[in-house]
Amino acid sequence: MRANCWMGRSHVEVQDVPDPRILNSRDAIVRITSTAICGSDLHLYNGFIPTMEKGDVLGHEFMGEVVETGPDVTGLRVGDRVVVPFPIACGGCDACEHGLFSVCENSNPNAGVAEKMMGYSPAGIFGYSHMLGGFPGGQAEYARVPFADVGPIRIDDGLPDEQVLFLSDIFPTGWMGAEMCDITPGDVIAVWGAGPVGQFAIASAFLMGAERVIAIDRFPYRLRKAESSGAEVLDYERTDVREALRDMTAGRGPDACIDAVGVEAHHPAPLMYGYDRAKQAARVETDRPFALREAIMACRNGGVVAVVGVYGGFVDKFPMGSLMNRSITLRGAQCHVHRYLRPLLDRIRAGDIDPAFVISHRMRLEDAPCGYEMFRQKEDDCLKVVLTP
Ligand SMILES: [Zn+2]
Ligand SMILES: [Zn+2]
């Protein structure tokens, strides 16, 4: 089959790779009809996530048709149309039983590697490094889906791929970011990063009853998209964000802040940016946490900072004094996608949201390398690329 493979930093290539096969009794094989490039794929492309190997099949946002099932797959049949969540979860371990699917204890065969880096291992993730399982991803014609009786959600009605594809990751991820903010009526929520996840966090915060949402980014087309969802916007290259947020909230700060940026944040202040870039290059620090630092410093006393942007390792100059003394609650997670599939599909069906609003480019799988480069360079106002095998 054809698949988009990681070939090294800044290099992906669509190649012939072996077709996936059923390896375990709870596996299914899905013929992919739509897949997408995620902002977090850019962290792989840019070489920020360790334990990638040349030839790894990328992609963790995909959907398609079940073409084969293992003998123990219940609830799914050949011909079913499914969306597949990006974390792989067994459904039966202690974490899964508590709804913590992205930290499933049974789905990462390379847990030992992750334990060295993080203490304990999170779940395996499709197409996202060997530390997270080494699972071939879904930017391909076919994918093997482990624990297929637990993860994939069947789409029985005629909703088009573009409306349901993002249930695999970015819609639930943005939604969970907003949910972690414990929004009550009247709240002001600030969102760092108006990429696809940020856009869904903004829309979700409004659906949960936020009074105002303030989006922070530097690309005008992303800020315009956020405005079209009802957000107020700040361009951090033109504005002192903390001062502006203070002014916009009667001197108090936003009630909650969402970091939808993660490991590769930019910052207009050259000194701080250079400091973190240098440390990152020297491998003293793995992540550059501008957005996170700013979110903590900007949040009101007693507020929540929710992290859904991806971090890989360690950060420096972390404002612990601000967090501790001002009663800030810090939360973060890879999304427990499985929890949200049914309720968010219902939201789509009810017309509360049409997730296709983030799509800026549609391409063939063969053009994935071009898609990655456009998305990285933000060419042609690239916000979200959907690929069709
Ligand atoms: Zn993703
Ligand atoms: Zn589990």
Side-chain angles (χ1 to χ4, degrees), residues 135-170:
F135 292 97
Q139 287 164 11
E141 290 182 284
Y142 295 89
R144 176 176 77 93
V145 178
F147 303 121
D149 49 331
V150 177
I153 183 168
R154 247 187 15 236
I155 309 293
D156 293 324
D157 48 22
L159 287 171
D161 279 22
E162 290 188 351
Q163 284 193 340
V164 291
L165 171 62
F166 303 137
L167 287 170
S168 58
D169 178 358
I170 55 174

PDB file of all heavy atoms in Angstrom, residues 135-170:
ATOM      1  N   PHE A 135       3.387   2.375  16.525  1.00  0.00           N
ATOM      2  CA  PHE A 135       2.274   1.921  15.675  1.00  0.00           C
ATOM      3  C   PHE A 135       2.270   2.669  14.345  1.00  0.00           C
ATOM      4  O   PHE A 135       2.289   3.902  14.339  1.00  0.00           O
ATOM      5  CB  PHE A 135       0.926   2.178  16.373  1.00  0.00           C
ATOM      6  CG  PHE A 135       0.716   1.331  17.589  1.00  0.00           C
ATOM      7  CD1 PHE A 135       0.986   1.832  18.854  1.00  0.00           C
ATOM      8  CD2 PHE A 135       0.263   0.018  17.476  1.00  0.00           C
ATOM      9  CE1 PHE A 135       0.811   1.047  19.994  1.00  0.00           C
ATOM     10  CE2 PHE A 135       0.079  -0.765  18.606  1.00  0.00           C
ATOM     11  CZ  PHE A 135       0.355  -0.249  19.870  1.00  0.00           C
ATOM     12  N   PRO A 136       2.209   1.945  13.226  1.00  0.00           N
ATOM     13  CA  PRO A 136       2.058   2.640  11.942  1.00  0.00           C
ATOM     14  C   PRO A 136       0.790   3.494  11.954  1.00  0.00           C
ATOM     15  O   PRO A 136      -0.244   3.082  12.491  1.00  0.00           O
ATOM     16  CB  PRO A 136       1.945   1.495  10.930  1.00  0.00           C
ATOM     17  CG  PRO A 136       2.604   0.325  11.594  1.00  0.00           C
ATOM     18  CD  PRO A 136       2.295   0.488  13.060  1.00  0.00           C
ATOM     19  N   GLY A 137       0.876   4.676  11.364  1.00  0.00           N
ATOM     20  CA  GLY A 137      -0.236   5.622  11.439  1.00  0.00           C
ATOM     21  C   GLY A 137      -1.214   5.515  10.293  1.00  0.00           C
ATOM     22  O   GLY A 137      -1.198   4.550   9.515  1.00  0.00           O
ATOM     23  N   GLY A 138      -2.053   6.526  10.180  1.00  0.00           N
ATOM     24  CA  GLY A 138      -3.184   6.477   9.265  1.00  0.00           C
ATOM     25  C   GLY A 138      -3.082   7.384   8.051  1.00  0.00           C
ATOM     26  O   GLY A 138      -4.065   7.559   7.348  1.00  0.00           O
ATOM     27  N   GLN A 139      -1.912   7.980   7.808  1.00  0.00           N
ATOM     28  CA  GLN A 139      -1.730   8.679   6.527  1.00  0.00           C
ATOM     29  C   GLN A 139      -1.288   7.628   5.523  1.00  0.00           C
ATOM     30  O   GLN A 139      -0.127   7.553   5.111  1.00  0.00           O
ATOM     31  CB  GLN A 139      -0.719   9.819   6.683  1.00  0.00           C
ATOM     32  CG  GLN A 139      -1.307  10.997   7.464  1.00  0.00           C
ATOM     33  CD  GLN A 139      -0.267  11.970   7.982  1.00  0.00           C
ATOM     34  OE1 GLN A 139       0.893  11.906   7.610  1.00  0.00           O
ATOM     35  NE2 GLN A 139      -0.681  12.874   8.862  1.00  0.00           N
ATOM     36  N   ALA A 140      -2.235   6.778   5.172  1.00  0.00           N
ATOM     37  CA  ALA A 140      -1.944   5.570   4.406  1.00  0.00           C
ATOM     38  C   ALA A 140      -3.239   5.077   3.781  1.00  0.00           C
ATOM     39  O   ALA A 140      -4.316   5.625   4.041  1.00  0.00           O
ATOM     40  CB  ALA A 140      -1.367   4.505   5.330  1.00  0.00           C
ATOM     41  N   GLU A 141      -3.126   4.038   2.971  1.00  0.00           N
ATOM     42  CA  GLU A 141      -4.341   3.466   2.385  1.00  0.00           C
ATOM     43  C   GLU A 141      -5.077   2.557   3.370  1.00  0.00           C
ATOM     44  O   GLU A 141      -6.303   2.435   3.317  1.00  0.00           O
ATOM     45  CB  GLU A 141      -3.971   2.692   1.108  1.00  0.00           C
ATOM     46  CG  GLU A 141      -3.540   3.610  -0.023  1.00  0.00           C
ATOM     47  CD  GLU A 141      -3.218   2.820  -1.283  1.00  0.00           C
ATOM     48  OE1 GLU A 141      -2.138   2.193  -1.336  1.00  0.00           O
ATOM     49  OE2 GLU A 141      -4.047   2.838  -2.210  1.00  0.00           O
ATOM     50  N   TYR A 142      -4.310   1.924   4.260  1.00  0.00           N
ATOM     51  CA  TYR A 142      -4.904   1.024   5.252  1.00  0.00           C
ATOM     52  C   TYR A 142      -4.196   1.193   6.588  1.00  0.00           C
ATOM     53  O   TYR A 142      -3.046   1.624   6.638  1.00  0.00           O
ATOM     54  CB  TYR A 142      -4.752  -0.456   4.825  1.00  0.00           C
ATOM     55  CG  TYR A 142      -5.498  -0.811   3.570  1.00  0.00           C
ATOM     56  CD1 TYR A 142      -4.897  -0.673   2.331  1.00  0.00           C
ATOM     57  CD2 TYR A 142      -6.810  -1.281   3.636  1.00  0.00           C
ATOM     58  CE1 TYR A 142      -5.583  -0.986   1.160  1.00  0.00           C
ATOM     59  CE2 TYR A 142      -7.506  -1.602   2.475  1.00  0.00           C
ATOM     60  CZ  TYR A 142      -6.887  -1.451   1.246  1.00  0.00           C
ATOM     61  OH  TYR A 142      -7.565  -1.763   0.101  1.00  0.00           O
ATOM     62  N   ALA A 143      -4.889   0.839   7.666  1.00  0.00           N
ATOM     63  CA  ALA A 143      -4.235   0.835   8.979  1.00  0.00           C
ATOM     64  C   ALA A 143      -4.733  -0.345   9.801  1.00  0.00           C
ATOM     65  O   ALA A 143      -5.907  -0.737   9.685  1.00  0.00           O
ATOM     66  CB  ALA A 143      -4.508   2.138   9.730  1.00  0.00           C
ATOM     67  N   ARG A 144      -3.841  -0.862  10.615  1.00  0.00           N
ATOM     68  CA  ARG A 144      -4.254  -1.852  11.611  1.00  0.00           C
ATOM     69  C   ARG A 144      -4.687  -1.107  12.867  1.00  0.00           C
ATOM     70  O   ARG A 144      -3.950  -0.256  13.367  1.00  0.00           O
ATOM     71  CB  ARG A 144      -3.089  -2.785  11.959  1.00  0.00           C
ATOM     72  CG  ARG A 144      -3.439  -3.779  13.067  1.00  0.00           C
ATOM     73  CD  ARG A 144      -2.309  -4.771  13.328  1.00  0.00           C
ATOM     74  NE  ARG A 144      -1.217  -4.211  14.106  1.00  0.00           N
ATOM     75  CZ  ARG A 144      -1.124  -4.296  15.446  1.00  0.00           C
ATOM     76  NH1 ARG A 144      -2.042  -4.921  16.159  1.00  0.00           N
ATOM     77  NH2 ARG A 144      -0.082  -3.753  16.067  1.00  0.00           N
ATOM     78  N   VAL A 145      -5.881  -1.426  13.344  1.00  0.00           N
ATOM     79  CA  VAL A 145      -6.415  -0.759  14.537  1.00  0.00           C
ATOM     80  C   VAL A 145      -6.501  -1.777  15.675  1.00  0.00           C
ATOM     81  O   VAL A 145      -7.359  -2.658  15.654  1.00  0.00           O
ATOM     82  CB  VAL A 145      -7.812  -0.165  14.254  1.00  0.00           C
ATOM     83  CG1 VAL A 145      -8.391   0.477  15.505  1.00  0.00           C
ATOM     84  CG2 VAL A 145      -7.732   0.860  13.119  1.00  0.00           C
ATOM     85  N   PRO A 146      -5.594  -1.688  16.654  1.00  0.00           N
ATOM     86  CA  PRO A 146      -5.663  -2.602  17.797  1.00  0.00           C
ATOM     87  C   PRO A 146      -6.861  -2.255  18.692  1.00  0.00           C
ATOM     88  O   PRO A 146      -7.353  -1.120  18.679  1.00  0.00           O
ATOM     89  CB  PRO A 146      -4.358  -2.349  18.553  1.00  0.00           C
ATOM     90  CG  PRO A 146      -3.482  -1.586  17.605  1.00  0.00           C
ATOM     91  CD  PRO A 146      -4.412  -0.815  16.723  1.00  0.00           C
ATOM     92  N   PHE A 147      -7.326  -3.211  19.482  1.00  0.00           N
ATOM     93  CA  PHE A 147      -8.483  -3.015  20.364  1.00  0.00           C
ATOM     94  C   PHE A 147      -9.645  -2.353  19.608  1.00  0.00           C
ATOM     95  O   PHE A 147     -10.249  -1.378  20.061  1.00  0.00           O
ATOM     96  CB  PHE A 147      -8.107  -2.180  21.597  1.00  0.00           C
ATOM     97  CG  PHE A 147      -6.976  -2.779  22.393  1.00  0.00           C
ATOM     98  CD1 PHE A 147      -5.795  -2.066  22.612  1.00  0.00           C
ATOM     99  CD2 PHE A 147      -7.090  -4.051  22.937  1.00  0.00           C
ATOM    100  CE1 PHE A 147      -4.744  -2.614  23.342  1.00  0.00           C
ATOM    101  CE2 PHE A 147      -6.028  -4.609  23.678  1.00  0.00           C
ATOM    102  CZ  PHE A 147      -4.865  -3.887  23.879  1.00  0.00           C
ATOM    103  N   ALA A 148      -9.932  -2.912  18.442  1.00  0.00           N
ATOM    104  CA  ALA A 148     -10.935  -2.309  17.558  1.00  0.00           C
ATOM    105  C   ALA A 148     -12.344  -2.419  18.127  1.00  0.00           C
ATOM    106  O   ALA A 148     -13.267  -1.734  17.658  1.00  0.00           O
ATOM    107  CB  ALA A 148     -10.873  -2.960  16.183  1.00  0.00           C
ATOM    108  N   ASP A 149     -12.506  -3.260  19.145  1.00  0.00           N
ATOM    109  CA  ASP A 149     -13.820  -3.357  19.792  1.00  0.00           C
ATOM    110  C   ASP A 149     -14.029  -2.213  20.779  1.00  0.00           C
ATOM    111  O   ASP A 149     -15.121  -2.039  21.314  1.00  0.00           O
ATOM    112  CB  ASP A 149     -13.945  -4.709  20.510  1.00  0.00           C
ATOM    113  CG  ASP A 149     -12.741  -5.011  21.399  1.00  0.00           C
ATOM    114  OD1 ASP A 149     -11.625  -4.537  21.089  1.00  0.00           O
ATOM    115  OD2 ASP A 149     -12.912  -5.700  22.418  1.00  0.00           O
ATOM    116  N   VAL A 150     -12.978  -1.418  21.051  1.00  0.00           N
ATOM    117  CA  VAL A 150     -13.070  -0.347  22.057  1.00  0.00           C
ATOM    118  C   VAL A 150     -13.046   1.041  21.413  1.00  0.00           C
ATOM    119  O   VAL A 150     -13.855   1.893  21.770  1.00  0.00           O
ATOM    120  CB  VAL A 150     -11.900  -0.446  23.076  1.00  0.00           C
ATOM    121  CG1 VAL A 150     -11.943   0.699  24.068  1.00  0.00           C
ATOM    122  CG2 VAL A 150     -11.944  -1.795  23.796  1.00  0.00           C
ATOM    123  N   GLY A 151     -12.113   1.269  20.471  1.00  0.00           N
ATOM    124  CA  GLY A 151     -11.874   2.622  19.998  1.00  0.00           C
ATOM    125  C   GLY A 151     -12.817   3.166  18.938  1.00  0.00           C
ATOM    126  O   GLY A 151     -13.520   4.169  19.153  1.00  0.00           O
ATOM    127  N   PRO A 152     -12.872   2.540  17.774  1.00  0.00           N
ATOM    128  CA  PRO A 152     -13.572   3.167  16.645  1.00  0.00           C
ATOM    129  C   PRO A 152     -15.059   3.390  16.911  1.00  0.00           C
ATOM    130  O   PRO A 152     -15.717   2.556  17.525  1.00  0.00           O
ATOM    131  CB  PRO A 152     -13.398   2.135  15.516  1.00  0.00           C
ATOM    132  CG  PRO A 152     -12.207   1.324  15.899  1.00  0.00           C
ATOM    133  CD  PRO A 152     -12.222   1.273  17.394  1.00  0.00           C
ATOM    134  N   ILE A 153     -15.567   4.502  16.439  1.00  0.00           N
ATOM    135  CA  ILE A 153     -17.009   4.768  16.548  1.00  0.00           C
ATOM    136  C   ILE A 153     -17.618   4.620  15.155  1.00  0.00           C
ATOM    137  O   ILE A 153     -17.068   5.107  14.162  1.00  0.00           O
ATOM    138  CB  ILE A 153     -17.305   6.166  17.138  1.00  0.00           C
ATOM    139  CG1 ILE A 153     -18.807   6.349  17.301  1.00  0.00           C
ATOM    140  CG2 ILE A 153     -16.694   7.280  16.300  1.00  0.00           C
ATOM    141  CD1 ILE A 153     -19.194   7.574  18.130  1.00  0.00           C
ATOM    142  N   ARG A 154     -18.754   3.899  15.107  1.00  0.00           N
ATOM    143  CA  ARG A 154     -19.424   3.674  13.832  1.00  0.00           C
ATOM    144  C   ARG A 154     -20.210   4.911  13.431  1.00  0.00           C
ATOM    145  O   ARG A 154     -20.877   5.532  14.256  1.00  0.00           O
ATOM    146  CB  ARG A 154     -20.387   2.496  13.973  1.00  0.00           C
ATOM    147  CG  ARG A 154     -19.976   1.310  13.158  1.00  0.00           C
ATOM    148  CD  ARG A 154     -20.966   0.170  13.107  1.00  0.00           C
ATOM    149  NE  ARG A 154     -22.304   0.434  13.546  1.00  0.00           N
ATOM    150  CZ  ARG A 154     -22.911  -0.278  14.515  1.00  0.00           C
ATOM    151  NH1 ARG A 154     -22.280  -1.247  15.119  1.00  0.00           N
ATOM    152  NH2 ARG A 154     -24.140  -0.004  14.844  1.00  0.00           N
ATOM    153  N   ILE A 155     -20.112   5.262  12.156  1.00  0.00           N
ATOM    154  CA  ILE A 155     -20.898   6.379  11.626  1.00  0.00           C
ATOM    155  C   ILE A 155     -21.945   5.754  10.715  1.00  0.00           C
ATOM    156  O   ILE A 155     -21.636   5.336   9.597  1.00  0.00           O
ATOM    157  CB  ILE A 155     -20.021   7.361  10.830  1.00  0.00           C
ATOM    158  CG1 ILE A 155     -18.781   7.788  11.632  1.00  0.00           C
ATOM    159  CG2 ILE A 155     -20.842   8.563  10.377  1.00  0.00           C
ATOM    160  CD1 ILE A 155     -19.057   8.628  12.850  1.00  0.00           C
ATOM    161  N   ASP A 156     -23.154   5.662  11.227  1.00  0.00           N
ATOM    162  CA  ASP A 156     -24.187   4.938  10.483  1.00  0.00           C
ATOM    163  C   ASP A 156     -24.930   5.815   9.485  1.00  0.00           C
ATOM    164  O   ASP A 156     -25.443   5.330   8.487  1.00  0.00           O
ATOM    165  CB  ASP A 156     -25.198   4.313  11.454  1.00  0.00           C
ATOM    166  CG  ASP A 156     -24.542   3.217  12.282  1.00  0.00           C
ATOM    167  OD1 ASP A 156     -23.676   2.508  11.728  1.00  0.00           O
ATOM    168  OD2 ASP A 156     -24.876   3.087  13.470  1.00  0.00           O
ATOM    169  N   ASP A 157     -25.010   7.104   9.781  1.00  0.00           N
ATOM    170  CA  ASP A 157     -25.797   7.944   8.876  1.00  0.00           C
ATOM    171  C   ASP A 157     -24.898   8.539   7.803  1.00  0.00           C
ATOM    172  O   ASP A 157     -23.725   8.240   7.700  1.00  0.00           O
ATOM    173  CB  ASP A 157     -26.554   9.028   9.646  1.00  0.00           C
ATOM    174  CG  ASP A 157     -25.655   9.732  10.624  1.00  0.00           C
ATOM    175  OD1 ASP A 157     -24.426   9.686  10.426  1.00  0.00           O
ATOM    176  OD2 ASP A 157     -26.162  10.326  11.594  1.00  0.00           O
ATOM    177  N   GLY A 158     -25.456   9.392   7.017  1.00  0.00           N
ATOM    178  CA  GLY A 158     -24.731   9.865   5.845  1.00  0.00           C
ATOM    179  C   GLY A 158     -23.828  11.060   6.075  1.00  0.00           C
ATOM    180  O   GLY A 158     -23.422  11.712   5.119  1.00  0.00           O
ATOM    181  N   LEU A 159     -23.504  11.362   7.347  1.00  0.00           N
ATOM    182  CA  LEU A 159     -22.623  12.512   7.574  1.00  0.00           C
ATOM    183  C   LEU A 159     -21.338  12.347   6.775  1.00  0.00           C
ATOM    184  O   LEU A 159     -20.691  11.308   6.842  1.00  0.00           O
ATOM    185  CB  LEU A 159     -22.281  12.625   9.065  1.00  0.00           C
ATOM    186  CG  LEU A 159     -23.391  13.123   9.995  1.00  0.00           C
ATOM    187  CD1 LEU A 159     -22.973  12.970  11.450  1.00  0.00           C
ATOM    188  CD2 LEU A 159     -23.738  14.573   9.691  1.00  0.00           C
ATOM    189  N   PRO A 160     -20.948  13.366   6.015  1.00  0.00           N
ATOM    190  CA  PRO A 160     -19.742  13.231   5.197  1.00  0.00           C
ATOM    191  C   PRO A 160     -18.478  13.119   6.054  1.00  0.00           C
ATOM    192  O   PRO A 160     -18.462  13.586   7.202  1.00  0.00           O
ATOM    193  CB  PRO A 160     -19.730  14.525   4.368  1.00  0.00           C
ATOM    194  CG  PRO A 160     -20.636  15.464   5.056  1.00  0.00           C
ATOM    195  CD  PRO A 160     -21.624  14.660   5.843  1.00  0.00           C
ATOM    196  N   ASP A 161     -17.439  12.504   5.477  1.00  0.00           N
ATOM    197  CA  ASP A 161     -16.160  12.338   6.200  1.00  0.00           C
ATOM    198  C   ASP A 161     -15.711  13.645   6.861  1.00  0.00           C
ATOM    199  O   ASP A 161     -15.268  13.652   8.006  1.00  0.00           O
ATOM    200  CB  ASP A 161     -15.053  11.893   5.219  1.00  0.00           C
ATOM    201  CG  ASP A 161     -15.098  10.388   4.924  1.00  0.00           C
ATOM    202  OD1 ASP A 161     -16.177   9.781   5.118  1.00  0.00           O
ATOM    203  OD2 ASP A 161     -14.064   9.837   4.502  1.00  0.00           O
ATOM    204  N   GLU A 162     -15.809  14.741   6.122  1.00  0.00           N
ATOM    205  CA  GLU A 162     -15.244  15.998   6.626  1.00  0.00           C
ATOM    206  C   GLU A 162     -15.918  16.485   7.909  1.00  0.00           C
ATOM    207  O   GLU A 162     -15.322  17.237   8.671  1.00  0.00           O
ATOM    208  CB  GLU A 162     -15.339  17.081   5.543  1.00  0.00           C
ATOM    209  CG  GLU A 162     -14.385  16.791   4.392  1.00  0.00           C
ATOM    210  CD  GLU A 162     -14.303  17.932   3.398  1.00  0.00           C
ATOM    211  OE1 GLU A 162     -15.111  18.881   3.517  1.00  0.00           O
ATOM    212  OE2 GLU A 162     -13.436  17.873   2.503  1.00  0.00           O
ATOM    213  N   GLN A 163     -17.166  16.067   8.125  1.00  0.00           N
ATOM    214  CA  GLN A 163     -17.846  16.505   9.348  1.00  0.00           C
ATOM    215  C   GLN A 163     -17.497  15.640  10.561  1.00  0.00           C
ATOM    216  O   GLN A 163     -17.654  16.078  11.694  1.00  0.00           O
ATOM    217  CB  GLN A 163     -19.363  16.492   9.143  1.00  0.00           C
ATOM    218  CG  GLN A 163     -19.828  17.677   8.313  1.00  0.00           C
ATOM    219  CD  GLN A 163     -21.322  17.864   8.368  1.00  0.00           C
ATOM    220  OE1 GLN A 163     -22.077  16.943   8.697  1.00  0.00           O
ATOM    221  NE2 GLN A 163     -21.773  19.047   8.045  1.00  0.00           N
ATOM    222  N   VAL A 164     -17.039  14.413  10.323  1.00  0.00           N
ATOM    223  CA  VAL A 164     -16.804  13.509  11.457  1.00  0.00           C
ATOM    224  C   VAL A 164     -15.334  13.136  11.661  1.00  0.00           C
ATOM    225  O   VAL A 164     -14.951  12.663  12.735  1.00  0.00           O
ATOM    226  CB  VAL A 164     -17.646  12.214  11.328  1.00  0.00           C
ATOM    227  CG1 VAL A 164     -19.115  12.523  11.514  1.00  0.00           C
ATOM    228  CG2 VAL A 164     -17.403  11.509  10.008  1.00  0.00           C
ATOM    229  N   LEU A 165     -14.497  13.381  10.642  1.00  0.00           N
ATOM    230  CA  LEU A 165     -13.084  12.977  10.714  1.00  0.00           C
ATOM    231  C   LEU A 165     -12.389  13.501  11.972  1.00  0.00           C
ATOM    232  O   LEU A 165     -11.604  12.796  12.609  1.00  0.00           O
ATOM    233  CB  LEU A 165     -12.353  13.489   9.453  1.00  0.00           C
ATOM    234  CG  LEU A 165     -10.826  13.356   9.424  1.00  0.00           C
ATOM    235  CD1 LEU A 165     -10.387  11.901   9.500  1.00  0.00           C
ATOM    236  CD2 LEU A 165     -10.257  14.027   8.170  1.00  0.00           C
ATOM    237  N   PHE A 166     -12.710  14.742  12.351  1.00  0.00           N
ATOM    238  CA  PHE A 166     -11.963  15.365  13.443  1.00  0.00           C
ATOM    239  C   PHE A 166     -12.389  14.886  14.825  1.00  0.00           C
ATOM    240  O   PHE A 166     -11.812  15.299  15.830  1.00  0.00           O
ATOM    241  CB  PHE A 166     -12.026  16.895  13.338  1.00  0.00           C
ATOM    242  CG  PHE A 166     -11.500  17.403  12.021  1.00  0.00           C
ATOM    243  CD1 PHE A 166     -12.157  18.406  11.327  1.00  0.00           C
ATOM    244  CD2 PHE A 166     -10.351  16.856  11.460  1.00  0.00           C
ATOM    245  CE1 PHE A 166     -11.684  18.860  10.117  1.00  0.00           C
ATOM    246  CE2 PHE A 166      -9.872  17.296  10.237  1.00  0.00           C
ATOM    247  CZ  PHE A 166     -10.536  18.311   9.558  1.00  0.00           C
ATOM    248  N   LEU A 167     -13.370  13.980  14.863  1.00  0.00           N
ATOM    249  CA  LEU A 167     -13.640  13.283  16.124  1.00  0.00           C
ATOM    250  C   LEU A 167     -12.429  12.449  16.542  1.00  0.00           C
ATOM    251  O   LEU A 167     -12.291  12.081  17.701  1.00  0.00           O
ATOM    252  CB  LEU A 167     -14.859  12.358  15.982  1.00  0.00           C
ATOM    253  CG  LEU A 167     -16.229  13.029  15.898  1.00  0.00           C
ATOM    254  CD1 LEU A 167     -17.298  12.003  15.521  1.00  0.00           C
ATOM    255  CD2 LEU A 167     -16.588  13.705  17.229  1.00  0.00           C
ATOM    256  N   SER A 168     -11.543  12.149  15.586  1.00  0.00           N
ATOM    257  CA  SER A 168     -10.365  11.337  15.884  1.00  0.00           C
ATOM    258  C   SER A 168      -9.400  12.042  16.822  1.00  0.00           C
ATOM    259  O   SER A 168      -8.608  11.398  17.504  1.00  0.00           O
ATOM    260  CB  SER A 168      -9.644  10.970  14.587  1.00  0.00           C
ATOM    261  OG  SER A 168      -9.271  12.157  13.886  1.00  0.00           O
ATOM    262  N   ASP A 169      -9.416  13.361  16.834  1.00  0.00           N
ATOM    263  CA  ASP A 169      -8.451  14.090  17.661  1.00  0.00           C
ATOM    264  C   ASP A 169      -8.885  15.522  17.965  1.00  0.00           C
ATOM    265  O   ASP A 169      -9.305  15.836  19.079  1.00  0.00           O
ATOM    266  CB  ASP A 169      -7.070  14.097  16.985  1.00  0.00           C
ATOM    267  CG  ASP A 169      -6.025  14.873  17.768  1.00  0.00           C
ATOM    268  OD1 ASP A 169      -6.349  15.449  18.808  1.00  0.00           O
ATOM    269  OD2 ASP A 169      -4.856  14.908  17.334  1.00  0.00           O
ATOM    270  N   ILE A 170      -8.791  16.415  16.980  1.00  0.00           N
ATOM    271  CA  ILE A 170      -8.756  17.844  17.311  1.00  0.00           C
ATOM    272  C   ILE A 170     -10.054  18.399  17.895  1.00  0.00           C
ATOM    273  O   ILE A 170     -10.007  19.319  18.710  1.00  0.00           O
ATOM    274  CB  ILE A 170      -8.296  18.704  16.108  1.00  0.00           C
ATOM    275  CG1 ILE A 170      -9.161  18.441  14.878  1.00  0.00           C
ATOM    276  CG2 ILE A 170      -6.831  18.455  15.808  1.00  0.00           C
ATOM    277  CD1 ILE A 170      -8.842  19.381  13.711  1.00  0.00           C
TER     278      ILE A 170
END
